[in-house]
Amino acid sequence: MDFEDVMEKIGFGKYNICLLLTCCLLIMGMYIDIFGVSVVLPYMTCDLSLTSSQQGLLSAIPLVGVMVSSYGWGLSADIIGRKRTLVIATPISVVFSIAASLAPSFISFAVLKILSAGFSSSANAAGFVLVGESVPARYRSKCTFLTASSTLLVNFIISGLALPIFQMTLNVELLPAINLRYRPWRLLLQIITLPAIIGCLGMFAIKESPKLLLSKGKEPSAIEVLQSMYASNHGSKCLSVTSISLSESLTAATSSRDCSYIQTIWNQTAPLFKPPLLKNSVILYYILLCSFMTSTGFTMWMPTVINAYFSGDNNDGKTFCAVASTAVVSANQTVECDNIVQPMTLYITMVNSGLTTILNIILTFLVGPLGKKTTTVLVLIVSIAAGILLLLVRQQLISIGLFFIFLFVVLVLGNINIYLVELNPTHLRGMATSLSVVVARGFGFISVQIIGSLLQSHCTSMITGYIILITSGLIVAFFLPQDKNKSQFGVS
């Protein structure tokens, strides 16, 4: 029996919901690890006496950890398995995250944060693919979009928790010798590890990808996993399957068994950049580059920039750049280390995160009738239009709204992940997904530094450059492959 036919018999039930929630929590934990720094940065700037260059580096440090490790986790997910990769890496990332919350200096925090983000990035390399390979085809796109939605909810969670915590007057001297004080921002960094911790516990209830096991020639193990999934969904182990076929070649997947480590890396990477996969790989990774240079770069600076709107000055009649350019100056001149971030900044960040998540969920239902290519193009067009208007509008709330819409370019992530699963064979999907993280976070790191350097003096020219960048991504998006069948909301 064909694998997809078996998956249809298993259906979508309790097991798939548990798997989806677990992977969402682990992937959410990764993104919280990355973006949590941006929310606490104003407090850290004061408590740790950070310079402007250190602020920029600290904002981007988690991206470095993700960038340098994702390749290895992609290889691990394809070679030793999706679940095993998660089991090894994610608990270690939680330990390093908690340790980073107690770091007494810029250097110690940076090192620990690189390590925590480096291990947490395994969730992106293995989680998306594990979800996509463990549900029937007709549910695959929806599950991938919902998983992507969890990444967009992180600022809502962080800001929501920060509101009461930042009102606390916590100031406990832990180690006077190294000037280590337990402050509210340290408590926040510890509390936001909870999604990852709960996700780690959820891994006890999930199984390895049956499709990966089949691609490696482990049919008995795959059948055992499929029977377990059927039992969870239907309360019975009566899945009458003795043999399963996979409609793709197993040669490439099994040939790496007798190869050296370097040769294995080459075998898992080179096919992505050779015909017939080359064209689609270049298109997808370039769109990711354009989107995440914009969204990641500005999102890491978002609390600092939005805070400039509510720091006491009357900003009506000023363009976005006229206000945003004062954000870096304000951060550098901070003296009082309490109540630095205005509550309105956190509320607005929550609104942005919530709206982005809702829009991504709406796209979950629109991508079926419209198609992945059309929705990708529409997202890019809306972002470009918002960016152009952002340079012209002089009303405070409208400027903030346009700024958020400009960053809605991140909504292409769901479609890109679906394409990566759809267009690449099973044994390369972990690597393809992890390389997307390297591209997205690597250029995101560069973008954070660019924004930090140019925001104060060259804001208008900088945003114009980002609009041009997204426009080039739009042009490339017209070369995306057409959906095979829009009425079938799934991928193979």
Side-chain angles (χ1 to χ4, degrees):
M1 183 179 292
D2 184 73
F3 175 79
E4 294 298 345
D5 293 333
V6 176
M7 291 303 299
E8 283 298 323
K9 288 185 66 175
I10 293 172
F12 188 92
K14 289 186 292 184
Y15 174 81
N16 307 99
I17 294 172
C18 179
L19 172 66
L20 181 62
L21 289 174
T22 297
C23 289
C24 281
L25 285 168
L26 292 174
I27 294 171
M28 186 185 296
M30 168 194 165
Y31 280 79
I32 286 175
D33 204 23
I34 294 172
F35 293 108
V37 176
S38 65
V39 175
V40 302
L41 185 61
Y43 289 94
M44 293 181 64
T45 297
C46 190
D47 281 347
L48 301 183
S49 301
L50 303 180
T51 65
S52 58
S53 60
Q54 287 175 329
Q55 291 175 55
L57 284 172
L58 216 52
S59 294
I61 277 295
L63 301 177
V64 176
V66 172
M67 179 178 61
V68 300
S69 65
S70 291
Y71 194 95
W73 293 127
L75 182 65
S76 174
D78 285 336
I79 300 301
I80 72 170
R82 322 304 194 202
K83 179 183 175 179
R84 187 178 296 180
T85 296
L86 294 172
V87 169
I88 291 172
T90 49
I92 298 175
S93 74
V94 172
V95 173
F96 280 123
S97 290
I98 295 174
S101 71
L102 297 172
S105 66
F106 166 76
I107 293 176
S108 59
F109 185 90
V111 171
L112 290 168
K113 210 61 189 172
I114 285 178
L115 292 171
S116 71
F119 280 94
S120 68
S121 69
S122 61
N124 202 96
F128 274 108
V129 182
L130 181 57
V131 169
E133 292 177 345
S134 303
V135 296
R138 57 198 171 99
Y139 295 101
R140 205 160 291 153
S141 293
K142 289 182 180 179
C143 287
T144 303
F145 258 89
L146 288 173
T147 308
S149 296
S150 69
T151 70
L152 305 174
L153 197 59
V154 296
N155 277 325
F156 183 90
I157 294 172
I158 298 170
S159 298
L161 292 170
L163 277 166
I165 291 175
F166 283 171
Q167 300 304 311
M168 299 171 67
T169 55
L170 191 61
N171 191 354
V172 180
E173 195 170 48
L174 294 181
L175 293 172
I178 57 174
N179 195 30
L180 176 59
R181 292 181 174 274
Y182 193 73
R183 303 271 288 141
W185 63 269
R186 296 186 186 275
L187 176 61
L188 178 63
L189 289 179
Q190 292 170 354
I191 289 178
I192 61 178
T193 61
L194 283 175
I197 293 172
I198 298 171
C200 288
L201 296 176
M203 287 191 292
F204 288 104
I206 66 175
K207 306 293 183 181
E208 183 55 83
S209 162
K211 195 167 189 179
L212 180 70
L213 293 172
L214 276 176
S215 74
K216 291 179 174 295
K218 300 178 180 179
E219 187 178 39
S221 297
I223 292 175
E224 184 179 341
V225 169
L226 291 168
Q227 287 175 336
S228 176
M229 292 168 60
Y230 186 87
S232 296
N233 287 350
H234 300 280
S236 168
K237 291 189 176 181
C238 299
L239 180 64
S240 55
V241 175
T242 57
S243 179
I244 304 175
S245 61
L246 195 61
S247 56
E248 62 183 58
S249 173
L250 305 184
T251 305
T254 58
S255 62
S256 62
R257 293 175 182 173
D258 301 321
C259 297
S260 66
Y261 180 73
I262 298 299
Q263 187 62 45
T264 300
I265 293 177
W266 177 257
N267 290 344
Q268 291 298 117
T269 307
L272 295 171
F273 298 97
K274 292 180 179 179
L277 303 179
L278 172 62
K279 177 185 173 182
N280 290 327
S281 292
V282 171
I283 291 173
L284 293 174
Y285 291 138
Y286 185 75
I287 295 172
L288 272 177
L289 181 158
C290 299
S291 302
F292 278 80
M293 275 200 75
T294 305
S295 63
T296 300
F298 282 101
T299 299
M300 296 302 283
W301 283 101
M302 182 188 295
T304 302
V305 170
I306 297 303
N307 203 51
Y309 274 93
F310 303 101
S311 297
D313 296 332
N314 182 8
N315 294 307
D316 269 334
K318 296 181 181 179
T319 64
F320 173 82
C321 277
V323 179
S325 61
T326 67
V328 177
V329 177
S330 298
N332 292 341
Q333 294 175 348
T334 297
V335 177
E336 174 60 46
C337 290
D338 290 317
N339 302 318
I340 296 172
V341 176
Q342 302 299 315
M344 185 59 72
T345 298
L346 297 175
Y347 283 123
I348 289 182
T349 302
M350 290 174 65
V351 169
N352 171 61
S353 181
L355 283 175
T356 307
T357 304
I358 291 170
L359 286 172
N360 201 65
I361 293 173
I362 291 173
L363 282 180
T364 302
F365 299 95
L366 291 180
V367 71
L370 293 180
K372 297 184 293 296
K373 180 175 180 178
T374 301
T375 52
T376 300
V377 168
L378 288 175
V379 167
L380 294 171
I381 289 174
V382 170
S383 177
I384 292 167
I388 294 171
L389 291 173
L390 183 63
L391 296 174
L392 305 174
V393 169
R394 294 176 177 271
Q395 206 282 330
Q396 178 172 299
L397 291 179
I398 295 178
S399 291
I400 294 173
L402 288 170
F403 177 54
F404 289 160
I405 296 172
F406 183 48
L407 302 189
F408 284 168
V409 68
V410 73
L411 295 175
V412 302
L413 176 62
N415 277 335
I416 297 300
N417 279 318
I418 296 171
Y419 274 121
L420 289 172
V421 173
E422 176 182 0
L423 301 176
N424 292 300
T426 301
H427 67 282
L428 295 177
R429 287 173 180 170
M431 181 59 69
T433 304
S434 68
L435 283 179
S436 74
V437 179
V438 173
V439 171
R441 302 311 168 195
F443 283 94
F445 169 78
I446 295 172
S447 182
V448 171
Q449 306 309 307
I450 291 173
I451 294 170
S453 300
L454 302 180
L455 185 62
Q456 182 177 346
S457 303
H458 305 283
C459 177
T460 301
S461 299
M462 177 185 68
I463 290 182
T464 302
Y466 278 99
I467 293 171
I468 294 171
L469 180 68
I470 300 174
T471 303
S472 70
L474 172 64
I475 294 170
V476 170
F478 284 109
F479 295 93
L480 284 167
Q482 294 288 348
D483 290 62
K484 295 177 182 178
N485 189 346
K486 293 180 183 179
S487 65
Q488 292 293 323
F489 192 41
V491 294
S492 60

